Amino acid sequence: MSELWQLTLHEARAGLDSGSFSAVDLARSCFERIGQVEDRVKAYVTLTESHALRQAEAADQTLAQGRGGPMTGIPVQVKDLISTRGIRTTCSSRMLENYVPVYDATVWEKLSRQGAVLLGKGNMDEFAMGSSCENSAFFPTHNPWDLDRVPGGSSGGAAASVAADEAIVALGSDTGGSIRQPASLCGVVGLKPTYGRVSRYGLVAFASSLDQIGPVGKNAMDCAITLNAIAGYDSRDSTSLDLPATDFTAGLTKDIKGLRLGIPGEYFVDGMDPGVRNAVEAAIRELEGLGASVEPVSLPTTKYALACYYIIAPSECSANLARYDGVKFGYSYQDTPDMWQAMETTRQQGFGPEVKRRIMLGAYALSAGYYDAYYLKAQQVRTLIRQDFARVFEQVDALVTPTSPVVAFPIGEKTADPVQMYLIDVCTLPINIAGLPAMSVPCGFSEGLPVGMQLIGPHLSESTLLNVAHAYEQATDWHKARPGL
Amino acid sequence: MPLDRADVEHIAALARIGLSDEEIATFQEQLSNILDQFELLKQLDTSAVEPTGHAVEVSSVMREDVPDEPLDPEDTLLNAPRREGDLFRVKAVLEE
């Protein structure tokens, strides 16, 4: 007997439109599933059941009037750094534990106007800084495939909720891999759009030149439908791109004959799991069998991306997080008459170790005497990395790589050494540096744990990437595998 | 490049983050290890390379300066740690 919570977005849409079930039925089913598994998975910081049921009732009325859209009545999880008016938005930080936004992020404004149903807010690494969800100030999220392992991060709640069927689709954010890497580790599909494709208004800022919101879903079609709903120009985000509207589902032809795919050897790094290598190589052969041509390409600046990223992202973070001073909102230490001591103690107690580490790293990289050696140098290296990608995209239409060099690792294994944790994102960081779109698609298993392949394209090539993923999904069943919770 | 204790204290002061002795020792080691990773960038000659601030070209965006509905004062103060009337209450900034 199949349950409504098992449906893909596309299937749920068909069922709602045909009247097989109501939006209230669907929302109730998702909460029933959440009731079954959430105490083990811990994908949600906040559940919004009564709010969701009111939204679902409204969605049913809209559908009854024949005014529904693609997202009307669809239950979604939203990462807890996307502002939701009247619903606390914590960034999984003590600093914002009781913070209630007074406005909606553009993406949530768009989704709620289209009648989407908010199931709750997704757990994450604090302020999106981390690769395992262990930096949440509240609790770690557990990988639905093995509860003793991490779901990846920072959008660990988004990926785990979709993998565990606790949400039909989720919104995450990706600054250095935070959508793609957890999608890979949890066996679901995650898309990081081109920088500027989706408005960042109301996304709590981490590194403003790298952050981008995107969907985590059960397949490429669901990601395309969700991207349709959230993409577009927004005058409130000055970096948002003013482009004609695109229907990302229109390009899902399943035909990739003649598409040129490049395989950058630098992404098959020393120390990667042999099982990951095997799965990704098999996926490349599958794509070749579907008619794509495959050729090796080289991105020689890849090895500099990690250092480049860990200068730029912390520098931007140190500026963005200067706003948490305990005066206007957020945690505030009061037990001193001294303004500076209040501010320093507020930040000492409100931020966790990784956030402090990155703020300090950024403050150092931007400080007098070090700016040229670190920040300026990293921005120059950023130019070289961009040029590398631009050069290979004259040769090929898209790149195929592993998303993560390893499968989900045990909780606690990498928390002691920040550099080891940073290395996990070696295949995803360069994409944010260059502002490119990329997605992770399930392509097999290694030791019983999901493996993801990463598809990378030039700016604004989301339709191509989604079509490659969609074609691959027609030929394989990896994206349909579900953990036995 | 290893950081010494005074470096860490200086950075923490710049960032306005209070640190315990234990935190200073931990960050001294961890930040030094991370800075070591950055040495790799010295291999690249970037003397003739323009820096990139944003990866996607966006020209300066201007809009008409039209007054919009302002945030409601109650909303503005909703998350205030301390308020007095319609004001944020803060610690004394100026010395007596």
Side-chain angles (χ1 to χ4, degrees), chain A residues 100 195 303-304 310 327 329 334 336 340 344 347-348 356-357 360 364 377 379-380 382-383 386 434, chain B residues 1 11 15-16 18 23 30 38 40-41 43-44 46 49-50 52-55 61 79 81-82 91:
Chain A
V100 178
Y195 183 81
K303 67 174 172 179
Y304 304 105
Y310 276 99
V327 173
F329 57 92
Q334 292 292 343
T336 167
W340 293 119
E344 289 177 359
R347 291 162 68 80
Q348 177 174 20
K356 288 180 196 168
R357 203 148 40 229
M360 290 172 63
Y364 182 69
K377 180 82 180 182
Q379 287 198 310
Q380 289 170 318
R382 187 173 192 179
T383 302
R386 276 178 66 196
Chain B
M1 188 183 64
I11 302 166
R16 298 282 175 206
E23 283 178 306
Q30 290 177 337
F38 297 167
L40 186 68
L41 297 186
Q43 291 178 2
L44 288 169
T46 52
V49 179
E50 287 292 314
T52 294
H54 273 80
V61 179
N79 288 285
R82 290 199 304 167
K91 308 265 178 211

Side-chain angles (χ1 to χ4, degrees), chain A residues 460-471:
Chain A
L460 306 177
S461 66
E462 288 89 346
S463 290
T464 305
L465 303 183
L466 285 160
N467 190 38
V468 174
H470 185 62

